[in-house]
Amino acid sequence: MTVKEVVRAHTATHENASAETKGEGGHAPSVAPATVAAGRASQELGIRRAEFELAVHLGLIAVVGAPGGGRPRVHEDEIARLREQPGFPDALVERVRTVGTAQGAALLDIAPARFTRLARAGCVSPVTFYLNRYRAVVWLYLADELAAFAAREPELLAGRTPPGMRTMLESGADWRARNWRSQRIDRLLDRTTDPWARTAVQATALDPVQLAEVVDDPYERAFLVRVRPEPVFGRPGSMAAREAMAELMLADDPDEILWRRGNLRLELDSAREDRPAPRPGDDGEARATPPARTGARPRAVRPAPAAEPAPPLARTGAPRPAAVGRRTGKGLLTRLGWRGRGAG
């Protein structure tokens, strides 16, 4: 080896050592953990894409935002964590297994008609849905949640329907869409701590008229559209599916509308205290801070006006929306600007 080669080798070794020292000392930016796209992640986990997307929706798989926007990605260390769990991948697949009415009834060993009554009464909550060939909504339920309900409320699986539940069902009550909305909103709230993004999530349950009554500033309403968190994954689907989704997302009962307006008002007050919504000509400082990683539960605890009225049933074991009770005092109604649908 010549003298020049020795010098070059020594210089290269010294530069490498300096780079490593800077990285360890925090003087140079560390290399970002490797991430993979959703399709690659589902392949490495050995699960179908639909199962992967539902696992993300349920918070079982953490994802991170892609640099500069785009579809979220999954850290390789998250994939390694999941692969090291006992019973992988069967245990993960079982946690996201969904069933329809017939399969759910068979799982609980009851008639499909009784299963439907339990679902309408809010004893079990759907996690997702699809449209059949007649464009009718078909609700799907987590098999794990049905098994937990059967263990918790075995008396509701046999014998006569409790009087309170029977009266409620005879009046035409159906809590399936309401419970689906509540769980969907809760899971979107779990993905962000940004006050304006949380306000935008609450706003999705109200139609434009109700929303304008609570959020009277048009710039704030426009900002809510911009920062509204969307489901992390999920295919757009057909036009009919998108229309069904848009319809199911809206609260349609006076009690639920009042509850959603109350939640929106609380989140809006918090967002306004945090920072104002941007106006035309602003430099864009008022922006939602995207969560670094989803799947964890960063949700802030906020006071609620009261507890949402449950169906007139003593014990159903139903997972109710975290909600608020019926209050008829003028103070609350005035604060919420409540005039009801179609009020002038």
Side-chain angles (χ1 to χ4, degrees):
M1 180 179 292
T2 65
V3 174
K4 291 183 179 181
E5 290 174 341
V6 172
V7 172
R8 283 198 297 268
H10 176 76
T11 302
T13 302
H14 178 72
E15 289 175 351
N16 292 338
S18 298
E20 291 176 0
T21 302
K22 287 182 179 181
E24 293 173 357
H27 300 295
S30 58
V31 179
T35 62
V36 298
R40 171 73 178 277
S42 62
Q43 290 178 359
E44 293 191 10
L45 292 172
I47 59 178
R48 295 178 300 178
R49 182 62 178 267
E51 294 169 336
F52 173 85
E53 291 177 354
L54 184 54
V56 171
H57 173 64
L58 297 175
L60 303 178
I61 299 177
V63 296
V64 294
R71 305 287 282 176
R73 298 171 67 84
V74 184
H75 277 309
E76 289 187 349
D77 60 355
E78 174 70 0
I79 296 176
R81 180 188 70 82
L82 293 166
R83 292 176 64 90
E84 292 173 358
Q85 291 184 346
F88 174 85
D90 295 340
L92 178 59
V93 171
E94 184 61 25
R95 294 182 69 182
V96 297
R97 183 166 69 94
T98 58
V99 295
T101 297
Q103 292 175 305
L107 182 64
L108 300 182
D109 196 22
I110 59 177
R114 190 179 189 97
F115 181 93
T116 300
R117 290 196 298 271
L118 291 172
R120 286 180 54 202
C123 299
V124 292
S125 301
V127 68
T128 187
F129 70 92
Y130 69 91
L131 298 184
N132 62 16
R133 58 180 177 174
Y134 304 108
R135 295 193 174 184
V137 173
V138 179
W139 294 110
L140 297 176
Y141 307 81
L142 285 174
D144 259 5
E145 289 188 356
L146 296 184
F149 165 72
R152 187 174 62 247
E153 303 286 353
E155 66 276 10
L156 292 177
L157 304 181
R160 295 179 60 84
T161 302
M165 181 189 294
R166 186 165 59 249
T167 300
M168 184 178 66
L169 294 175
E170 289 173 353
S171 70
D174 189 343
W175 278 62
R176 288 175 293 185
R178 183 170 182 165
N179 280 350
W180 171 79
R181 274 191 295 274
S182 180
Q183 291 193 1
R184 178 183 182 276
I185 288 173
D186 286 346
R187 284 164 181 148
L188 287 175
L189 289 174
D190 285 342
R191 295 189 180 126
T192 182
T193 57
D194 180 78
W196 282 104
R198 294 176 63 84
T199 305
V201 171
Q202 296 288 0
T204 60
L206 296 175
D207 65 29
V209 174
Q210 298 286 347
L211 178 60
E213 289 181 354
V214 180
V215 188
D216 55 1
D217 187 328
Y219 295 113
E220 290 181 338
R221 294 199 300 273
F223 188 50
L224 293 179
V225 174
R226 286 169 48 192
V227 301
R228 179 176 58 212
E230 296 295 339
V232 177
F233 290 105
R235 301 172 183 82
S238 65
M239 178 61 70
R242 289 195 292 270
E243 291 175 352
M245 171 73 80
E247 183 177 349
L248 288 171
M249 283 172 57
L250 297 179
D252 57 6
D253 180 86
D255 284 340
E256 185 187 5
I257 292 171
L258 181 60
W259 160 240
R260 290 301 169 195
R261 288 170 66 107
N263 280 349
L264 176 59
R265 172 60 67 183
L266 290 173
E267 295 289 358
L268 181 61
D269 289 346
S270 177
R272 286 169 172 170
E273 291 175 2
D274 181 73
R275 66 189 188 279
R279 305 281 170 171
D282 287 353
D283 58 4
E285 290 181 358
R287 296 175 182 170
T289 304
R293 190 177 180 121
T294 67
R297 304 284 179 182
R299 190 172 172 188
V301 177
R302 302 196 181 279
E308 182 180 6
L313 178 63
R315 292 182 62 206
T316 65
R320 301 295 180 202
V324 133
R326 188 178 292 144
R327 297 182 67 182
T328 56
K330 292 183 179 179
L332 175 61
L333 298 182
T334 301
R335 183 168 182 261
L336 300 180
W338 170 252
R339 296 198 298 270
R341 286 185 182 272

